């Protein structure tokens, strides 16, 4: 027959279960964060590779391409027309004012040719300089994109490798913690209805604060928990707790503080992975989990003897 735990033993036992619940919560949150990071890195890498295939350096336009354009031919025609008009003007002025006589046709042709040449040379030089400026700008933009890809592609590849390795490492610790938590619950000291992070943390707060000295009975933690639930003084579901941390800080302070601290820890670990892109901090965290699980596993053996398992 299982021995009833003393008040102090009960508080220690519930605290150990709470620690395991918090450890499981942190590992689950970290695992989800790493999975999301791998997913995002793969999507970004796929997009970078897709863009890189179609992103080619700008082509430097040949001089012949600058000459044989619609704009050049229009300039040539305009130059020739203005040359011809000027030729007619020169002919009229010299013929009637200075009584000079020469061939109108030859003068018009000459000045039309000169006008066409000048206009064409001007437009080609202007366009050529403009094309050079555009080319330099496009080349600069391409080099910037290529430089960013040179940095980002290896970064995302390493990120996928690091996070995948951490996920594989974390899966074992996550599984071990879950099994250990189930074994603690199977001892039968905590009713199934009150198993889980929210009820366990709230019940431990009752015991630790001295509001209750036992789980059962009129003045027990179970009864107080149910009473506060009916009065809507506490929140029962973890999902609701996570979105209302500021609201539960007074009635479920221990839970609020523990989750907030856990969230800060996971955020710090994820930042470490993102900035340094290595597994040092997270590996150290999992090593700590392994040590804690080993400690609780040895304690479990003692409780198994007490409970008759």
């Amino acid at each position: 027959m299982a021995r009833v735990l003393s008040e102090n033993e009960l508080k220690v036992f519930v605290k150990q279960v709470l620690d395991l619940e918090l450890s499981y919560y942190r590992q689950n949150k970290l695992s989800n964060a790493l999975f999301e990071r791998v997913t995002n890195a793969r999507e970004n890498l796929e997009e970078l590779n897709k863009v890189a295939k179609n992103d080619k350096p700008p082509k430097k336009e040949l001089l012949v391409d600058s000459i044989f354009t619609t704009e050049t031919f229009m300039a040539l025609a305009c130059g020739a027309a203005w040359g011809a008009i000027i030729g007619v003007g020169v002919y009229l002025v010299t013929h009637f004012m200075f009584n000079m006589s020469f061939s109108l046709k030859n003068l018009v042709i000459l000045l039309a040719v000169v006008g066409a040449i000048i206009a064409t040379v001007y437009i080609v030089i202007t366009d050529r300089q403009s094309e050079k400026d555009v080319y330099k700008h496009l080349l600069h933009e391409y080099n910037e994109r290529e430089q960013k890809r040179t940095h980002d592609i290896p970064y995302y590849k390493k990120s996928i490798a690091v996070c995948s390795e951490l996920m594989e490492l974390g899966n074992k610790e996550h599984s071990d913690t879950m099994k250990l938590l189930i074994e603690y619950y199977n001892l039968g000291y905590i009713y199934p209805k009150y198993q889980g992070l929210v009820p366990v943390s709230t019940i431990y707060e009752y015991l630790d604060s001295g509001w209750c000295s036992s789980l059962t009975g009129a003045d027990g933690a179970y009864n107080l928990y149910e009473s506060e639930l009916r009065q809507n003084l506490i929140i029962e579901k973890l999902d609701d707790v996570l979105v209302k941390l500021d609201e539960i800080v007074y009635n479920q302070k221990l839970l609020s503080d523990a989750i907030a601290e856990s969230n800060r820890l996971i955020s710090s670990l994820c930042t470490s992975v993102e900035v340094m892109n290595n597994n040092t901090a997270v590996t150290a965290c999992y090593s700590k989990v392994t040590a804690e699980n080993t400690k609780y596993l040895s304690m479990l053996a003692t409780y198994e003897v007490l409970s008759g398992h």
Side-chain angles (χ1 to χ4, degrees):
M1 181 177 178
R3 182 173 72 81
V4 177
L5 298 177
S6 68
E7 180 180 342
N8 186 62
E9 288 174 336
L10 177 63
K11 187 164 67 173
V12 171
F13 176 81
V14 175
K15 179 62 167 63
Q16 291 172 5
V17 175
L18 174 58
D19 289 343
L20 286 170
E21 283 283 5
L22 285 171
S23 177
Y24 185 78
Y25 167 79
R26 287 191 293 267
Q27 292 174 61
N28 193 53
K29 190 172 181 65
L30 179 56
S31 177
N32 290 338
L34 291 172
F35 177 78
E36 182 178 355
R37 182 166 175 76
V38 168
T39 301
N40 291 338
R42 283 175 175 160
E43 290 176 353
N44 290 334
L45 187 59
E46 183 180 351
E47 182 63 24
L48 281 172
N49 288 328
K50 185 188 298 183
V51 171
K53 288 181 180 179
N54 300 318
D55 193 12
K56 305 298 181 184
K59 189 179 293 184
K60 199 168 185 178
E61 197 169 350
L62 298 175
L63 180 61
V64 67
D65 295 328
S66 299
I67 295 176
F68 297 108
T69 64
T70 302
E71 188 177 13
T72 304
F73 285 116
M74 287 180 64
L76 187 149
C78 289
W82 277 107
I85 293 171
I86 292 172
V88 172
V90 169
Y91 175 81
L92 293 175
V93 170
T94 56
H95 181 74
F96 291 105
M97 293 184 65
F98 301 102
N99 200 27
M100 296 176 65
S101 180
F102 41 78
S103 172
L104 172 62
K105 178 181 177 181
N106 292 339
L107 180 62
V108 169
I109 292 174
L110 174 64
L111 291 182
V113 171
V114 171
I117 292 173
I118 292 174
T120 302
V121 170
Y122 174 78
I123 200 68
V124 168
I125 292 175
T126 303
D127 283 356
R128 192 62 181 164
Q129 185 57 48
S130 176
E131 287 166 1
K132 285 182 179 179
D133 294 339
V134 171
Y135 173 76
K136 285 181 180 179
H137 177 70
L138 292 176
L139 183 61
H140 176 71
E141 287 186 336
Y142 172 79
N143 288 335
E144 283 188 336
R145 293 194 302 273
E146 188 64 21
Q147 185 176 6
K148 189 173 186 303
R149 281 194 291 267
T150 302
H151 169 269
D152 289 351
I153 289 177
Y155 174 81
Y156 287 128
K157 285 182 177 179
K158 185 177 180 182
S159 179
I160 292 170
V162 168
C163 292
S164 297
E165 180 184 349
L166 290 173
M167 287 171 62
E168 185 175 349
L169 177 63
N171 285 339
K172 180 183 181 305
E173 301 304 330
H174 194 250
S175 176
D176 288 346
T177 303
M178 181 180 65
K179 290 176 182 177
L180 190 56
L181 190 56
I182 291 173
E183 289 178 357
Y184 260 82
Y185 282 134
N186 285 342
L187 293 172
Y189 287 117
I190 300 177
Y191 290 170
K193 181 179 180 181
Y194 304 102
Q195 296 174 4
L197 177 56
V198 177
V200 168
S201 64
T202 307
I203 287 171
Y204 176 73
E205 192 167 8
Y206 296 157
L207 297 172
D208 189 51
S209 64
W211 292 351
C212 301
S213 58
S214 65
L215 296 179
T216 58
D219 297 324
Y222 294 155
N223 195 44
L224 179 57
Y225 183 80
E226 293 293 344
S227 175
E228 291 197 331
L229 270 181
R230 287 193 297 271
Q231 298 175 66
N232 294 321
L233 295 177
I234 58 175
I235 300 175
E236 184 179 19
K237 294 181 179 179
L238 180 58
D239 289 343
D240 294 335
V241 167
L242 295 178
V243 297
K244 297 179 180 180
L245 282 180
D246 294 337
E247 297 180 24
I248 69 166
V249 70
Y250 298 107
N251 295 326
Q252 291 168 286
K253 180 173 173 54
L254 187 149
L255 177 61
S256 174
D257 291 347
I259 289 180
E261 179 59 30
S262 296
N263 290 346
R264 282 192 292 270
L265 172 62
I266 301 307
S267 177
S268 175
L269 290 173
C270 290
T271 299
S272 174
V273 172
E274 181 176 357
V275 174
M276 300 173 63
N277 212 4
N278 63 52
N279 60 7
T280 305
V282 178
T283 301
C285 177
Y286 282 136
S287 296
K288 184 178 179 182
V289 170
T290 301
E292 290 175 345
N293 284 350
T294 302
K295 179 183 70 174
Y296 288 129
L297 187 60
S298 66
M299 294 177 178
L300 177 67
T302 302
Y303 288 119
E304 286 176 336
V305 172
L306 294 176
S307 64
H309 281 66

